[in-house]
Amino acid sequence: MNIRENLENLELENLSPYAAHSAVSKGRRREEEQCDIRPVYQRDRDRILHSKSFRRLKDKTQVFLTPEGDHYRTRLTHTLEVSQNARTIAKALRMNEDLVEAIALGHDLGHTPFGHAGERALNAVCPYGFCHSEQSVRTVELLEKNGQGLNLTYEVKDGIRHHQTKGRPSTLEGKIVRFSDKIAYIHHDMDDAVRAGILKESDIPREIADVIGYTTGERLDHFIHDIVSTSYGKDDILMSEPVAKAMQALRRFMFTNVYQNKEAKSEEGKAEMLIQTLYSYYRHHLELLPADLTALTEKGEPEEKIVCDYIGAMTDRFAIAKYEEIYIPKSWHG
C-alpha cells in the first residue's frame, strides 16, 4: 500500500462522517495517474500554490487603491487570511483541511486588478458579463498552463465557484470557505479602514459590538468560535442567529462607511475608466494579446471573453503600465 492510500484511510478513520473524503472525490475532468504520496485535494492545493495566477495576487488591490503604507491588505494577503480561518474551522470540526485550503487559495484567482472596481468595469462592457468567481473557475479550467488548465477536482472547483454569498457549495468544506471569506474581509477591511483613519473602533454601533466584540481581534475570534460551536456534529456549517444578524449589520455598516466611502473610493472611477479603455483597445487589437489567449479563438471562445481573460489577469501595476504604454507619450514619462 502506498503513502497516499494510507493517508486516505486515515481520513476515513479520523475525519467527520460529513467531511469530503479524498478517496471518494468525484474526480477530475481529465483522468490522470494518482500521486503515490498526496491525496487529490492536497495535490490540487499544490497546483494552485504554484500557479501564475496565484503569484499575481500579491499585486492586486483588496479594498484600498495604491494606499500609502506597507501594511494594507492585498488580494494575496486576503487569500491567506481566508485560508487560515478556514483551516482553523475545518480542523475543529474534523473536516478535510486539504480541501478547504485548496478552495481558499483558489477562490480569488480570477479577480481583476483594482478590486471590485475592475470587476464592475469589465462586467459593464463585456456582453457576456464578468464575475470573479466564475472567472476563477475559468482560470483553473482553461487559462492556466497555456490553455491546459490545472485539471482540479470537482469539489475544489465547486467550492471556488460558490464562495460568494449567493453560492451554494456542495461540500461542507466549501461552506466553510464561504463563511471564512466573509469573516476575513470584514475583519481586515475594518482593520485597514482604522489604519487609514476612515474609522475608529468606537464607531462600531453598540448593538453590534455587544454581540460580537469591540475590537477586530475579538470579532474574528467570536465569529470562528460561533461557527465551530453551532456546527459541531451537524451536517451543515452554520452561525447562530444572533451572531449571523450582527455580522449582517456589521457588513451593512462597512458598506456605508468603507466600501462606499468617498475618501476610500475616490480613485475607483479612474480605475474603472482605465480598465474599460484597455478593454476597448484590445477588443480592436486582438493580435496584441499573448499567443496562448488568441489560440482560444480556435476552440470557439468569444473574443470578448478572451480580452477579459487578458485584462482580468493583470496586476494593478501591469494594467497601469499598459495604459501608459498605449496612451501616454514617452516624453511625458518620468
Side-chain angles (χ1 to χ4, degrees):
M1 185 179 291
N2 64 22
I3 292 172
R4 171 183 53 78
E5 290 171 343
N6 279 328
L7 292 172
E8 289 172 347
N9 285 333
L10 285 172
E11 283 184 8
L12 292 168
E13 292 171 11
N14 297 323
L15 294 185
S16 163
Y18 306 122
H21 297 90
S22 302
V24 294
S25 166
K26 292 183 180 180
R28 308 180 186 280
R29 176 176 289 184
R30 299 189 305 273
E31 287 190 21
E32 56 183 71
E33 186 178 349
Q34 288 264 42
C35 178
D36 62 341
I37 295 176
R38 296 168 297 167
V40 289
Y41 303 137
Q42 183 183 347
R43 202 175 185 190
D44 282 1
R45 186 274 314 272
D46 295 349
R47 289 180 181 185
I48 290 168
L49 193 63
H50 290 284
S51 68
K52 291 179 181 177
S53 49
F54 183 79
R55 292 195 292 277
R56 288 194 296 267
L57 295 176
K58 68 184 174 65
D59 284 323
K60 293 195 177 195
T61 291
Q62 174 60 27
V63 170
F64 293 90
L65 291 174
T66 58
E68 295 182 6
D70 295 333
H71 300 134
Y72 291 85
R73 270 67 169 197
T74 65
R75 189 62 56 180
L76 178 61
T77 57
H78 161 73
T79 293
L80 296 176
E81 290 183 38
V82 173
S83 176
Q84 185 269 324
N85 292 341
R87 287 195 58 176
T88 298
I89 295 167
K91 193 178 191 74
L93 295 176
R94 293 190 298 125
M95 294 294 155
N96 194 312
E97 288 184 63
D98 289 335
L99 177 54
V100 296
E101 187 170 25
I103 296 170
L105 294 180
H107 82 283
D108 270 354
L109 292 181
H111 226 301
T112 56
F114 312 120
H116 288 286
E119 182 176 19
R120 286 194 303 272
L122 286 182
N123 186 55
V125 294
C126 180
Y128 297 92
F130 188 94
C131 172
H132 80 270
S133 57
E134 290 296 332
Q135 188 68 13
S136 295
V137 175
R138 183 174 168 85
T139 298
V140 300
E141 281 190 333
L142 182 66
L143 303 180
E144 274 290 338
K145 299 186 74 173
N146 299 318
Q148 297 178 55
L150 301 180
N151 200 29
L152 304 181
T153 56
Y154 167 85
E155 293 80 8
V156 172
K157 291 189 294 184
D158 172 81
I160 291 172
R161 175 174 278 117
H162 292 284
H163 77 268
Q164 292 179 276
T165 301
K166 62 187 177 183
R168 294 182 178 274
S170 65
T171 64
L172 298 194
E173 286 81 0
K175 291 182 178 181
I176 288 172
V177 174
R178 184 171 164 271
F179 268 120
S180 298
D181 183 36
K182 291 191 195 67
I183 291 168
Y185 72 67
I186 287 175
H187 169 257
H188 61 53
D189 293 352
M190 173 69 71
D191 189 45
D192 282 353
V194 171
R195 180 174 291 107
I198 292 170
L199 285 179
K200 302 185 296 295
E201 289 281 9
S202 57
D203 292 333
I204 304 297
R206 183 68 180 265
E207 60 271 20
I208 297 175
D210 283 346
V211 177
I212 55 177
Y214 290 85
T215 67
T216 53
E218 286 179 4
R219 288 187 289 273
L220 178 63
D221 186 69
H222 197 94
F223 284 141
I224 290 174
H225 275 82
D226 184 77
I227 290 172
V228 170
S229 60
T230 307
S231 307
Y232 199 84
K234 296 176 184 172
D235 188 13
D236 203 356
I237 304 300
L238 305 161
M239 262 186 181
S240 68
E241 188 175 349
V243 171
K245 286 183 176 179
M247 184 179 186
Q248 290 166 3
L250 182 58
R251 192 165 175 265
R252 289 193 296 269
F253 173 84
M254 291 292 289
F255 265 94
T256 301
N257 294 279
V258 179
Y259 304 137
Q260 297 170 348
N261 179 285
K262 290 183 179 179
E263 183 179 346
K265 299 300 182 179
S266 59
E267 301 292 296
E268 283 197 350
K270 298 175 186 177
E272 291 180 25
M273 179 275 295
L274 185 151
I275 291 293
Q276 292 179 350
T277 303
L278 288 178
Y279 176 88
S280 177
Y281 179 82
Y282 286 112
R283 182 69 189 84
H284 295 94
H285 295 87
L286 207 67
E287 74 281 0
L288 297 179
L289 300 186
D292 59 309
L293 289 180
T294 54
L296 293 177
T297 57
E298 299 170 13
K299 298 181 179 180
E301 291 293 325
E303 293 179 358
E304 296 92 342
K305 280 193 173 185
I306 294 169
V307 173
C308 284
D309 292 335
Y310 184 51
I311 296 172
M314 291 179 177
T315 62
D316 294 17
R317 283 189 290 181
F318 188 77
I320 293 168
K322 279 296 176 186
Y323 182 87
E324 289 181 344
E325 177 186 311
I326 295 166
Y327 291 106
I328 306 300
K330 288 185 173 60
S331 61
W332 293 7
H333 291 188

